[in-house]
Amino acid sequence: MCGITVAIKLAGRSRRASAETTAHNVNVGANLESQLASSLDAIKHRGPDSHGSWISPDGNIGLASCRLAINGLGPGGQQPFTSPDGSIHAVVNGELYDHHRIREEMAQLSGYQFQGGSDSEIVVALYEYYGVSFLSMLRGEFALCIYDSKTQLFLAARDRSGIKPLFWTVHDGTLLLASEAKALLPFGWQPEWDVRSIIEIGWLTEKRTIFKDLQKIRPGHYLTCLSLDHISEGQYWDHEYPDKDVRETRNEEDMIEGVRAKMLDAVRVRLQADVPVGIHLSGGIDSSVIAGMAKHLLDNGEVRLGGSEDQRLRCLGIAFDEGSGYDESGIAQNTANFLGVDFHKLHMNESELAANFEEAVWFDEQPHFELGFVGKHALSKLTRDSGLKTIISGQGSDEIFGGYDVFLRDFLREPDLAWPNSNLDESTRLQKLQETTMAMARANGSVTKTSHGNKIAPHLSSQIPSFAYGVSAPHLLPSPWVIQQFGLLSPQVSLIENMDVRARNLMRTKWHPLHAAEYVWNKTLLANMILTNLSDRTEMSHSVEGRVPFLDHHLIEYVNGLPPSMKIRYDPETGVMTEKWILRQASRPFITDELYMRKKHPYTAPTTYPLDGPMHRLMSRLITQSSVENLGFMDWEKTKGLVETAFQSQDRVAMMDVFALAQLVVLGQRFGMPRAER
């Protein structure tokens, strides 16, 4: 696990001719070395254990890494990695599984001589033998960069689900890449607001960010720069789903056992490390079954925790105020008691949330719509203070098993022809569809119009999943010039228009609407919000590596191939629709009856706070006339009463708008952002 930074001076822009003197190359290299060191210092929280860099002899290329040592703790795990012949150089952020098997295979196939025990070193061996196609052989959470001096090929890639971040931009003729935006500041990059992306939340729905001209490498994609000139992007993996008209031939028990086996394997490999591994435990089934399976594997001797003779499993979680309606720590404690594991909880009251707010925003580098990210940021400090450098979480389960209630309408939009023996008859399906459609229309205002009330074209509305109608930018009342320049921007249209054309055609013709909704959610909210605000950034803010078993691509591919009725199941006796049905069955031996029966409750912090309390005082301090006007794209005259209105009315949506605006203010101040202009 690491933070990475790369700088490449592009040919024909800032690169010197080959006739330049060696002395000049030395000076250029020294300057680049200083920039790389400052860049790593900006993200040293991602890798406090050591740092290293490689700079090409001409000073035009630099790769650097700060290391959080998890596997191969000795000097052989120091990055950048270099091939035995000195031609290939690589930096890797994340964790790669099955690396022991791959090491043996590469030693036999190519005689590759590994320098240490780090899992990440397999990247160089695989690339040297297979070329770019090696990406399909990686299993884990990762972002990586490779430079091949023989072919003058630079390659950067990101894992299939976007668990680990990687950003890129071109500044002053230099291609820059880094794990976080703040790492680019030492290169002279001056961040500016991408106003259009903010207003239509392009930073949430696609590869844009809140910063102008700064992009993410998308999940399952790679970027190449050939001969230090031509930059292009490609895709090496994508979600696939079965034809909705083809009947499933497996029986229920076979599919349940298949899910259980894939889950156990995903948990097993993520328990392996040279340092202790813990579990982030909430009151939901997802993290609880992870804990249950981990305890099962440890008790059966199928895996051992590294870094200590103590094999007790440690779990940590958040406790919000009792009576708030958001505290699940009692249920988490019940799970810990059931499993016989340690459980340490962090109480996050209003004062603690307010005290940690600004620091958490700085690490996240983008807004979030509620304060759960602040709690996760503080939980990571408790994790690190408890002596844990690696944590396993339950993120990603709802995305593949149809766990969110917003998926219900998409499940009901068409019959499940792949599983015709479903208990859901056609008349009941249509009745339930009407009920959920009316409920969503009441919640979102419409299921056929944009956030501005404009009718969505029929060819688009049929492809937009139900959850997208609830996706909108906070009601931040942009300045008149923003509307004049960009018009009424629609997050819903932006979301679907940025989907891959091939996938959109499959969504329209081959995939069941539930699977289409899962696809879009995975490509947008999962990668760009949940895995950012609630995972990598909040974990790495205190040097904690996060591992995500539910996003193991072997498990994803298996679950994607299941019929929709295995994910959401109707009970004709009770009239209840049960989400994540097959996960509940696969998890049954490892969880309590309480969790088996419990309905999904998404993790969030309390959404309203009283007048004159710590949160009210913080928001009033951050949201002022000068701070809002310094953004440049907000209308203060329409915004100035927002804080008082939200706290006086105790309106949840208004409070979310306040939090989002405050986060933009903090980011503008911390990054030194200039005022946005027309």
Side-chain angles (χ1 to χ4, degrees), residues 4-6 145 154 156 166-168 175-179 184 217 223:
I4 57 180
T5 298
V6 172
C145 296
F154 171 76
L166 192 55
F167 300 91
W168 72 279
L175 172 63
L176 299 172
L177 300 97
S179 298
L184 303 177
I217 292 182
L223 175 147

Side-chain angles (χ1 to χ4, degrees), residues 468-614:
Y469 293 99
V471 174
S472 61
H475 305 93
L476 296 182
L477 305 171
S479 299
W481 73 264
V482 175
I483 299 174
Q484 293 169 7
Q485 180 164 334
F486 299 115
L488 295 175
L489 302 173
S490 166
Q492 290 78 27
V493 173
S494 173
L495 178 145
I496 201 64
E497 289 283 27
N498 280 286
M499 289 294 109
D500 177 75
V501 172
R502 182 196 69 90
R504 286 176 62 182
N505 185 54
L506 291 169
M507 290 163 59
R508 182 176 57 84
T509 62
K510 295 292 186 182
W511 294 346
H512 189 278
L514 172 63
H515 289 154
E518 289 180 346
Y519 180 87
V520 177
W521 185 290
N522 275 278
K523 292 292 187 177
T524 56
L525 274 68
L526 175 65
N528 298 329
M529 181 181 72
I530 295 169
L531 294 177
T532 299
N533 299 87
L534 300 178
S535 294
D536 176 81
R537 300 309 186 80
T538 49
E539 292 156 353
M540 291 300 285
S541 65
H542 290 105
S543 310
V544 174
E545 176 190 81
R547 299 181 172 187
V548 195
F550 283 113
L551 296 181
D552 186 287
H553 75 278
H554 297 306
L555 176 60
I556 291 175
E557 290 169 354
Y558 187 86
V559 175
N560 283 357
L562 299 174
S565 294
M566 293 296 106
K567 301 176 182 182
I568 300 178
R569 180 63 61 92
Y570 174 68
D571 184 345
E573 294 186 5
T574 63
V576 172
M577 307 289 295
T578 300
E579 80 284 352
K580 297 193 286 194
W581 180 85
I582 195 168
L583 174 62
R584 294 172 189 271
Q585 312 314 310
S587 305
R588 192 70 186 89
F590 310 102
I591 59 174
T592 63
D593 292 340
E594 178 183 29
L595 283 168
Y596 178 76
M597 300 298 296
R598 189 172 188 248
K599 185 173 176 58
K600 165 72 181 177
H601 291 268
Y603 163 78
T604 58
T607 52
T608 58
Y609 298 87
L611 277 168
D612 301 322

Side-chain angles (χ1 to χ4, degrees), residues 17 28 67 74 103 111 255 276 305 315 319 339 359 410 429 440 458 502 505 531 542 551 575 588 596:
V28 170
R67 184 187 183 201
R103 283 169 172 272
M255 289 185 279
L305 296 176
C315 298
L339 296 174
E359 186 181 51
D410 297 295
R429 182 185 70 82
M440 292 194 73
R502 182 196 69 90
N505 185 54
L531 294 177
H542 290 105
L551 296 181
R588 192 70 186 89
Y596 178 76

Side-chain angles (χ1 to χ4, degrees), residues 93-387:
N93 169 31
E95 204 66 42
L96 301 173
Y97 307 111
D98 291 340
H99 67 97
H100 295 296
R101 174 186 58 81
I102 292 174
R103 283 169 172 272
E104 293 178 2
E105 290 180 358
M106 296 314 301
Q108 293 176 358
L109 286 172
S110 66
Y112 191 90
Q113 297 178 350
F114 290 92
Q115 302 303 306
S118 171
D119 56 291
S120 298
E121 194 179 359
I122 64 172
V123 165
V124 177
L126 287 170
Y127 169 79
E128 185 180 61
Y129 192 80
Y130 292 104
V132 176
S133 66
F134 88 97
L135 292 170
S136 64
M137 303 172 188
L138 299 180
R139 179 186 186 186
E141 304 94 1
F142 61 86
L144 59 87
C145 296
I146 296 173
Y147 180 67
D148 184 342
S149 61
K150 287 183 178 178
T151 61
Q152 293 191 353
L153 173 69
F154 171 76
L155 169 71
R158 198 168 168 212
D159 65 66
R160 295 166 179 82
S161 293
I163 302 166
K164 294 301 161 192
L166 192 55
F167 300 91
W168 72 279
T169 190
V170 174
H171 169 70
D172 193 24
T174 301
L175 172 63
L176 299 172
L177 300 97
S179 298
E180 297 182 18
K182 58 179 68 70
L184 303 177
L185 295 172
F187 296 98
W189 173 70
Q190 173 59 62
E192 298 180 34
W193 296 113
D194 188 333
V195 177
R196 176 165 188 145
S197 176
I198 293 170
I199 300 304
E200 66 179 347
I201 55 174
W203 56 271
L204 182 62
T205 59
E206 34 117 343
K207 65 180 181 179
R208 286 180 289 171
T209 66
I210 64 170
F211 305 109
K212 185 180 294 184
D213 298 326
L214 181 67
Q215 301 181 43
K216 317 169 188 108
I217 292 182
R218 290 169 291 179
H221 282 69
Y222 60 91
L223 175 147
T224 58
C225 180
L226 187 59
S227 297
L228 309 185
D229 188 9
H230 179 67
I231 299 172
S232 62
E233 294 181 81
Q235 185 173 24
Y236 70 90
W237 185 88
D238 202 2
H239 288 265
E240 298 289 346
Y241 299 92
D243 188 324
K244 61 187 177 182
D245 296 325
V246 176
R247 184 167 179 167
E248 176 60 63
T249 58
R250 294 169 293 182
N251 61 46
E252 283 184 358
E253 286 305 314
D254 287 343
M255 289 185 279
I256 292 169
E257 183 53 39
V259 169
R260 184 180 295 135
K262 297 290 185 185
M263 287 174 57
L264 281 165
D265 186 54
V267 174
R268 179 186 59 80
V269 298
R270 284 164 177 81
L271 284 169
Q272 298 171 359
D274 292 339
V275 296
V277 178
I279 308 282
H280 275 174
L281 182 64
S282 71
I285 188 175
D286 307 328
S287 62
S288 299
V289 69
I290 296 299
M293 287 186 167
K295 184 64 162 52
H296 167 81
L297 291 166
L298 288 167
D299 288 348
N300 286 355
E302 296 182 49
V303 69
R304 283 185 57 83
L305 296 176
S308 173
E309 291 300 316
D310 185 357
Q311 293 297 295
R312 289 179 300 173
L313 185 64
R314 285 184 281 172
C315 298
L316 306 97
I318 297 173
F320 294 115
D321 289 341
E322 290 185 23
S324 66
Y326 295 88
D327 181 32
E328 297 183 331
S329 62
I331 300 173
Q333 184 66 65
N334 292 342
T335 294
N337 294 341
F338 169 76
L339 296 174
V341 300
D342 294 338
F343 179 60
H344 305 276
K345 62 182 178 181
L346 175 68
H347 184 209
M348 291 298 293
N349 56 25
E350 181 186 358
S351 295
E352 289 297 321
L353 288 167
N356 285 275
F357 178 84
E358 291 172 90
E359 186 181 51
V361 172
W362 169 241
F363 284 109
D364 271 18
E365 297 187 336
Q366 67 179 37
H368 192 57
F369 300 114
E370 52 85 31
L371 300 183
F373 75 98
V374 184
K376 291 296 291 288
H377 167 75
L379 178 61
S380 291
K381 184 177 187 303
L382 173 65
T383 303
R384 188 62 192 235
D385 290 346
S386 299

